[in-house]
Amino acid sequence: MMDRRAALRAAALTAAGLGALSACGRGFGGGGDDTPDGAVVLTMVWWGDNTRARKTQAALDVFQRKNPGITVRTEYQDSAPYKDKLATRFAAGDPPDLMAMRMDSLREYADRGALLELAGLDLSGLGESARTLAAVGDRTYGVPSGLNSIGFVVNRTLTDRFGVRIPDGDTWGWDDLGTFARAVTEAGDGTVYGTGFDLFTLANLFVFTRQRGEDFFTERGTLGITAGTVQAWFEMAQRMRDERALPPAGFMDEAGSSAAQSYIASGKLASQIIPTNNFLSYNEAAGGNLALLRMPGETQGVRRGQSIDTPALWSIAARSKHPREALALLDFLINDPEASQATGTTRGVPPNQRVAAAIRPGLAKDDQVATDYLIGLQGETLPRSFTYPPGGSSIAASLETIATEVEFKRQTPADGAAAFIAEATKALRT
């Protein structure tokens, strides 16, 4: 079983590819020289599994049919080694033309001048939240490959069995979550816990932080979260754990990284936080009776906490030999409905709202639920999700270490919060 925490550190996008497809290469071999007859060859790299590779290739087949004279060679990796492999390729002077870019890496590449500014790309179909996800100052260096957010899933089969009412997912608060989860744990006589979520997952803490009127990372690229908010996050979880709304310390570490290996699939948890683009896989694994709710606290906080995010960005190398053709490919992936009809929601809901609406009727029912969730959020006034500043990608590891110490009560919430702020501040300075 893949270590769960390692998988979460790798952007929660697990991959278990078992071999190469005929038209897609697994690994980063480089290359991509043009053919003797003058045809342009673009290289495109990303992370994911065989299913994503097959769907991506289907979209590229359409692009190549519409653009004779351009061939796209793709290579893909598992999510865990992708970051290092991509860095190695840039260091060797052989960057791909088009690449999947992690949100926590964008600034580090953009600030070095390694990415092409996407000034000429048509982003008119994207909402404000999606359009600004990869903005650095007034320049754009990436486009979301798909959109997602996080949400709370609740297993209605368990709540029906125990006679526990599910709170109103549009108005519930963190206290309501605690009350609901305690009721489930008590009704389940300890065989089922009401809820479970990781304190060290940044996406979860981002929401809680914004609800308190702060930004984890500010627009200026500084640390915005305060020790008081980190302490409140730790104390809330400790209180819920003491009341048995959350499972004991260490319980969550035993679950696997995939939907099928999750506790909500095995029936040991009645609710948990998931990336919304994974709703289909979780619902299938859990028996098909999950409800998708908004995050708690959205109507009680100083402001909204949820945001529009992306599992990955598309970026173009500044040193691409074919920037015009790479832009044409990116425009196709973002703005052509045929591209999204081929890829579906493998990278989340299409960022172009017109395209998302166009392909929705053909999606599986659960993907329609996740799509409607994102369409609804995009119609609301939400805080912006700012890019990670350089050094920001290492903060997750510090939070994981400190959150574990607090969870096992080897460190108080106040001491843990102070330690985290010190570590995060140091990471952004180096």
Side-chain angles (χ1 to χ4, degrees):
M1 179 186 296
M2 183 178 182
D3 177 75
R4 178 169 170 275
R5 291 196 171 192
L8 289 170
R9 284 195 297 270
L13 288 169
T14 59
L18 300 177
L21 297 180
S22 59
C24 295
R26 193 168 183 80
F28 279 5
D33 294 336
D34 297 344
T35 61
D37 62 2
V40 170
V41 177
L42 295 176
T43 54
M44 172 181 171
V45 303
W46 46 273
W47 70 81
D49 58 11
N50 268 3
T51 299
R52 181 173 292 175
R54 185 176 66 253
K55 292 183 176 183
T56 301
Q57 188 58 49
L60 295 179
D61 289 344
V62 177
F63 174 78
Q64 290 171 131
R65 189 179 69 242
K66 290 184 172 182
N67 296 272
I70 302 178
T71 298
V72 184
R73 293 178 180 167
T74 73
E75 301 169 5
Y76 66 101
Q77 280 282 342
D78 289 347
S79 58
Y82 182 85
K83 183 178 180 178
D84 290 342
K85 297 273 188 179
L86 185 63
T88 299
R89 189 153 171 173
F90 268 86
D94 184 29
D97 295 293
L98 180 66
M99 73 208 80
M101 176 62 63
R102 291 166 51 118
M103 277 289 289
D104 62 3
S105 298
L106 179 84
R107 281 290 301 271
E108 295 176 9
Y109 281 86
D111 288 356
R112 295 202 307 265
L115 301 181
L116 184 73
E117 182 187 357
L118 305 179
L121 190 64
D122 178 11
L123 300 178
S124 61
L126 279 65
E128 178 72 12
S129 297
R131 195 166 53 246
T132 58
L133 270 174
V136 180
D138 59 355
R139 299 185 176 186
T140 298
Y141 293 98
V143 181
S145 60
L147 299 180
N148 73 348
S149 185
I150 58 173
F152 236 99
V153 288
V154 179
N155 190 327
R156 289 179 290 211
T157 299
L158 291 176
T159 56
D160 288 348
R161 180 192 306 167
F162 298 141
V164 177
R165 185 182 66 84
I166 299 175
D168 184 336
D170 290 334
T171 61
W172 68 333
W174 292 98
D175 289 342
D176 297 319
L177 170 63
T179 300
F180 161 78
R182 285 197 304 274
V184 170
T185 303
E186 291 171 2
D189 198 26
T191 61
V192 179
Y193 289 98
T195 192
F197 54 88
D198 291 310
L199 296 181
F200 60 82
T201 298
L202 287 179
N204 302 343
L205 183 53
F206 284 178
V207 171
F208 186 79
T209 302
R210 294 194 193 100
Q211 290 174 349
R212 289 172 60 91
E214 302 169 1
D215 287 306
F216 194 96
F217 296 124
T218 69
E219 187 172 12
R220 293 180 290 110
T222 60
L223 190 70
I225 189 172
T226 63
T229 290
V230 182
Q231 180 177 340
W233 176 244
F234 288 155
E235 287 176 340
M236 179 184 72
Q238 189 173 85
R239 185 169 57 253
M240 291 176 68
R241 185 167 290 108
D242 290 343
E243 295 173 347
R244 301 185 72 208
L246 280 175
F251 179 88
M252 296 294 291
D253 294 342
E254 301 301 321
S257 59
S258 69
Q261 296 166 333
S262 68
Y263 281 140
I264 200 161
S266 64
K268 295 180 180 178
L269 279 183
S271 65
Q272 72 172 81
I273 301 171
I274 66 165
T276 56
N277 58 310
N278 292 340
F279 179 69
L280 185 150
S281 59
Y282 273 89
N283 201 24
E284 286 182 346
N289 199 21
L290 295 184
L292 177 60
L293 312 183
R294 298 182 182 220
M295 291 293 288
E298 289 290 275
T299 59
Q300 292 83 14
V302 174
R303 61 171 177 164
R304 297 289 301 275
Q306 289 199 254
S307 60
I308 302 298
D309 298 293
T310 181
L313 301 160
W314 289 125
S315 293
I316 296 175
R319 293 182 59 188
S320 169
K321 296 178 182 176
H322 307 292
R324 185 175 62 180
E325 289 81 1
L327 278 167
L329 174 56
L330 182 51
D331 179 76
F332 167 77
L333 292 172
I334 299 301
N335 294 321
D336 194 320
E338 283 194 81
S340 292
Q341 284 169 352
T343 58
T345 58
T346 183
R347 294 183 173 89
V349 174
N352 184 314
Q353 297 180 67
R354 294 189 293 270
V355 171
I359 73 164
R360 182 190 176 282
L363 297 175
K365 180 182 176 183
D366 288 340
D367 276 341
Q368 290 186 13
V369 171
T371 298
D372 290 345
Y373 187 95
L374 259 295
I375 289 175
L377 284 179
Q378 288 184 84
E380 301 168 9
T381 302
L382 300 178
R384 179 180 163 188
S385 185
F386 297 115
T387 55
Y388 285 52
S393 60
S394 64
I395 286 178
S398 298
L399 181 60
E400 178 180 346
T401 300
I402 293 168
T404 301
E405 294 300 297
V406 174
E407 182 176 334
F408 281 92
K409 297 187 176 180
R410 295 189 289 259
Q411 201 166 27
T412 68
D415 289 345
F420 173 72
I421 294 298
E423 289 290 328
T425 302
K426 180 181 177 182
L428 297 189
R429 287 176 179 166
T430 56

